[in-house]
Amino acid sequence: MATREASGACGLPRPLREDLEDLPEPENAEDKLAKQILNGLGYCGHFLHFHGGGVSGKAPIICLIAKHGGKISQQELGLHFALKPGSLSEILSKCEAIGLIERSRSTEDRRQLIIKLTEEGARQAEREQAERIKFRSEAFSALTLEEREQLLTMLEKIRNTWEGLDD
């Protein structure tokens, strides 16, 4: 694969048309366009996961706990994330080790673990939430409100189609 001289934000490869030079020639224009779209979606997914407050990991977890008043059961927390219980437990262990949360048994149901933000965890959650709000306000600034609504409609159509591909 050819070396890329230019890269996007945070060293990510430039995702769109110019990168397709490295790919085998598509059979038709529709296939080429599909590859360009998938390449662009891949870049967006990668960026969101690593830089935009993805849907799992420390930041979204402590933000959700903060939204629940700083305290939530581990079981309820797990319902909000597409994580295996072991993965959630591992993230929580790391958060606990760096002083963001405390875990304790529920006094009402000893089988339940209660996750509570520490003072530092609450401060971190506030900073993370502010960063996430800022990202959301800037992420689609290149689009008009009408274009954003069109994009949402198109993404919903794509999601519905892709969900049917699993059948």
Side-chain angles (χ1 to χ4, degrees):
M1 193 173 274
T3 305
R4 293 184 175 96
E5 291 179 17
S7 62
C10 303
L12 294 171
R14 294 187 158 261
L16 302 174
R17 291 171 175 85
E18 60 268 21
D19 280 352
L20 294 176
E21 297 165 2
D22 297 336
L23 300 175
E25 198 58 39
E27 292 183 24
N28 59 48
E30 189 174 318
D31 185 43
K32 182 177 181 178
L33 185 57
K35 285 182 179 185
Q36 289 172 315
I37 292 168
L38 289 171
N39 197 23
L41 288 172
Y43 173 85
C44 292
H46 179 88
F47 190 93
L48 283 173
H49 182 74
F50 290 101
H51 307 285
V55 293
S56 64
K58 176 185 65 134
I61 287 174
I62 64 172
C63 288
L64 182 66
I65 298 169
K67 287 179 185 176
H68 281 83
K71 186 169 129 178
I72 190 171
S73 74
Q74 185 166 331
Q75 182 179 16
E76 188 177 349
L77 186 62
L79 294 175
H80 287 86
F81 296 98
L83 293 170
K84 294 179 182 173
S87 298
L88 176 61
S89 185
E90 183 179 338
I91 294 168
L92 292 175
S93 291
K94 290 176 182 177
C95 289
E96 190 171 33
I98 59 175
L100 300 178
I101 65 162
E102 296 172 342
R103 291 190 272 191
S104 61
R105 293 272 171 210
S106 167
T107 55
E108 292 126 26
D109 183 350
R110 299 291 299 160
R111 296 171 296 177
Q112 286 280 346
L113 277 175
I114 302 299
I115 313 302
K116 182 180 177 194
L117 288 176
T118 62
E119 286 183 29
E120 177 56 29
R123 284 191 295 272
Q124 180 75 27
E126 190 176 319
R127 286 189 299 270
E128 293 285 353
Q129 189 59 29
E131 287 179 26
R132 297 173 115 217
I133 290 168
K134 181 180 182 230
F135 176 78
R136 286 194 302 262
S137 72
E138 295 174 352
F140 302 102
S141 61
L143 303 176
T144 66
L145 182 58
E146 182 180 338
E147 289 170 331
R148 293 174 200 192
E149 290 169 352
Q150 290 170 351
L151 176 60
L152 178 59
T153 299
M154 288 185 272
L155 289 172
E156 288 170 345
K157 282 178 155 180
I158 291 168
R159 180 179 178 158
N160 289 336
T161 300
W162 287 11
E163 286 174 347
L165 296 176
D166 286 340
D167 296 339

